[in-house]
Each structure stands twice: as structure tokens, then as C-alpha cells.
Amino acid sequence: MSPGADGRFAHGKVILLGEHAVVHGHLALAAAIDRGVRAAARPADADRLHVTPWGVEVAADPDAEDPLSRAFAAVLETLPGGRPPLRVDARVELPGGAGLGCSAALGVAILAAATDAVGAPAGPAALAERSLAWERVFHGNPSGVDNATAAFGGVLAFRRGEAPTPIAPGRPLDLVVAHGGTASSTKAMVAGVAARLAAEPQAMGARLAHLGALAERGRGLLEDGDLRALGGVLDEAQGGLEAIGVGAPRLAALCRVARRAGAVGAKLTGAGGGGCIVALTDGPEAARAVADALAAGDPGEGADGAPAEAFTARVGA
Ligand code: MEV
């Protein structure tokens, strides 16, 4: 989360390891990307939120049907009393429902801009915590990993209810993110995992623990800069995520395309079901080649291998 001439910026993110497991108390590793949300706020006649490029404008209303209006009210509720009404302008650079932390970045950027505008600026820890009021409206039961990554940036080890730990990767990570083209609802995906856990607690509990253990293993490999081994852990996590029911044929196909093009590992990132994959490569040139292959598509994979929107991201440099 950084101040800027043009308001406050909050990061989008990719989850490297541990999504869904983190909701149930296990470790996750997340990396901030340099796409996110920028927001600015100023005193006005009434509380209003304008979001571009969506062309959306809402009032703050805790009883509204529109979740954006309720979430805006929830975040303003965390401000000190006696404040002036605020107009907040937010600019979103991330696709929604893609697993890239769009909603958390929006909540964190709006809260940061609003705290500035009322003369009570909040630091990353407070922003991550207080913006959960926003995230609960959209995601029901958020672990907090998206909000923490949006607020702190960098690469984080995160466990629910604990302060995030910044990680210094032994080598920069050259990642490729590719969007399968369909959105998914984090709320529905998280609720689906919870329902399966309730139905078969032992098997699902073990699968979630395995995903958490992969995040623990990945943390050491990340710190050591052992990208090849880390890639293998990402591949294993993709299998683990499919086993808890959040995979999708399109995402699995994109992972295969990325691996064939030279990625050292690939998995879905975020809630799954739709949205994005993240592929790990061993350098910027390899990342470019993998992004090009994903953008070109692979007819050998049928419809699931159709061209995907892909971009490279270097983290931990
Ligand atoms: C979403 O980016 C990550 C999930 O683990 C949900 C959460 O942690 O709140 C699926």
C-alpha cells in the first residue's frame, strides 16, 4: 500500500501456495503484483463511491441490495466519528472474479484514501485488519490473506489470525499469470470447500492439511531460491486443489500449456473454478516464452487450450 500523488495504491496478488487451506488455519504464501487499485478521497456533500473503468457510482448504504454499497458503508463505518462525508474515486486495474485479489485491493485502497482524507492515516496492519469488513460482504469468510497482501505488498507468509511475515525470496520469481476467461465467485468456492469438509471431515481435512504442508515446504524453497523444486511443489498443489474440488478443465489445460512451454511449475491461483493460473519460470526470457505460448493457445488441448490473456510479473526482486 503506497501513497502517491494520485491517491493510494493497493496491490493485486497471486497465491503461490495454500489457498483454501488458509481459510482453515493452514499456511499460505502470497505475492503482490504491481497491478492493483488506486483510490483518492475528498470531503463532499454525501458519501459516494465512483469506480472506473466500471462506470459505477454508489452511495454507502448498509441495507442496500447492492453489495458494493454495503461494503462501502462497512468500510466507512471503521472511520473515526464526526468525519465529513467523503467522495471516493477508485481506479481498478484488475479483472474481478479472477483470483487476483481485486475486491481486497479495492477495499484496502478505498479505506486508505478515506483514512487520509479524514486526517487519520492508517498503516498496513490496520488497513489489512479494518478492510476485512469490506471483504466479508463479498467473500463471507475471508482468511485475510488477500487484504494483507493488498496492504503490505511483497511476498508474504500468512496464517489466519496472525501478523503476516514478509519473505525475502532467494531469487526473484518470474511468474506468468493467465486468465482462463471465466470469472468465479470466491464466496461460492470457499462455501463449497466448507460444505465438503463438513460432509467428509477426515478426508477433506487431510487434503487441506496437505495443501498447507506444501506451503510450508514452498516457503523454505522460496527462501533458498530453489525455483525448480518450488515449481514441483506448485504442480503438486495443483493436484491437491483439484482433489478438494476447486479445479477446472480449462485451468488444468492452461497449466499443461505453461509447463510444455518451459514453466517449472503451474497451478490455479485464488479460489479456482474459473479465474487464473500462475506459472513459475526460471527467468524473464522463459516467462516471456510461457506468456506467449498461453496467449497463442494450444489446439492440442481442444477448446480448453484456447488463447488466454497472459502477463508476466516479477516479484521479490
Ligand atoms: C482467495 O484469494 C483465497 C482463498 O483462500 C480465500 C481466502 O483465503 O479468503 C480461496
Side-chain angles (χ1 to χ4, degrees), residues 167-315:
I167 297 197
R171 276 178 61 192
L173 302 183
D174 287 291
L175 304 174
V176 181
V177 179
H179 194 327
T182 56
S184 81
S185 157
T186 300
K187 190 175 192 166
M189 298 307 291
V190 167
V193 170
R196 287 189 283 283
L197 181 60
E200 32 170 359
Q202 281 206 327
M204 276 294 284
R207 288 175 200 140
L208 290 166
H210 177 57
L211 288 167
L214 291 176
E216 306 270 4
R217 190 167 359 131
R219 177 183 182 160
L221 297 168
L222 187 60
E223 286 169 338
D224 293 347
D226 189 344
L227 301 189
R228 290 227 155 244
L230 181 60
V233 174
L234 262 61
D235 287 344
E236 201 175 332
Q238 169 64 16
L241 289 161
E242 287 172 354
I244 62 164
V246 301
R250 167 72 163 150
L251 299 178
L254 292 179
C255 289
R256 287 192 293 271
V257 173
R259 290 181 199 122
R260 281 198 293 273
V264 298
K267 59 179 274 294
L268 68 83
T269 184
C276 289
I277 67 149
V278 61
L280 176 65
T281 69
D282 61 8
E285 274 174 33
R288 196 64 265 153
V290 169
D292 287 349
L294 288 160
D298 183 342
E301 292 282 353
D304 288 328
E309 221 173 279
F311 65 91
T312 61
R314 171 163 259 231
V315 303

Side-chain angles (χ1 to χ4, degrees), residues 108-131:
V108 168
I110 289 168
L111 177 61
T115 60
D116 278 1
V118 300
L127 290 173
E129 177 59 31
R130 286 164 54 185
S131 63

Side-chain angles (χ1 to χ4, degrees), residues 78 108 111 123-134 136 144 147-148 151-152 161-162:
T78 74
V108 168
L111 177 61
L127 290 173
E129 177 59 31
R130 286 164 54 185
S131 63
L132 279 174
W134 166 283
R136 275 188 207 103
N147 298 54
F152 282 90
E162 295 177 10

Side-chain angles (χ1 to χ4, degrees), residues 7-95:
R8 297 282 295 263
F9 178 76
H11 297 268
K13 63 89 186 59
V14 288
I15 302 231
L16 296 170
L17 288 163
E19 53 271 269
H20 287 290
V22 68
V23 174
H24 302 278
H26 301 289
L27 187 76
L29 303 178
I33 57 176
D34 60 9
R35 295 180 186 204
V37 176
R38 188 169 287 283
R42 58 183 158 82
D45 293 342
D47 291 325
R48 304 290 297 177
L49 169 64
H50 297 248
V51 186
T52 50
W54 301 345
V56 167
E57 183 193 336
V58 296
D61 180 354
D63 302 316
E65 250 185 56
D66 177 9
L68 196 59
S69 198
R70 291 202 307 278
F72 185 41
V75 97
L76 293 182
E77 191 59 34
T78 74
L79 295 176
R83 65 170 180 87
L86 294 174
R87 175 192 163 116
V88 182
D89 288 281
R91 198 171 65 244
V92 176
E93 305 166 343
L94 295 163

Side-chain angles (χ1 to χ4, degrees), residues 124-125 128 144-145 147-149 152-153 155-159 161-167 219:
V145 64
N147 298 54
T149 315
F152 282 90
V155 182
L156 298 180
F158 181 91
R159 200 184 289 277
E162 295 177 10
T165 309
I167 297 197
R219 177 183 182 160

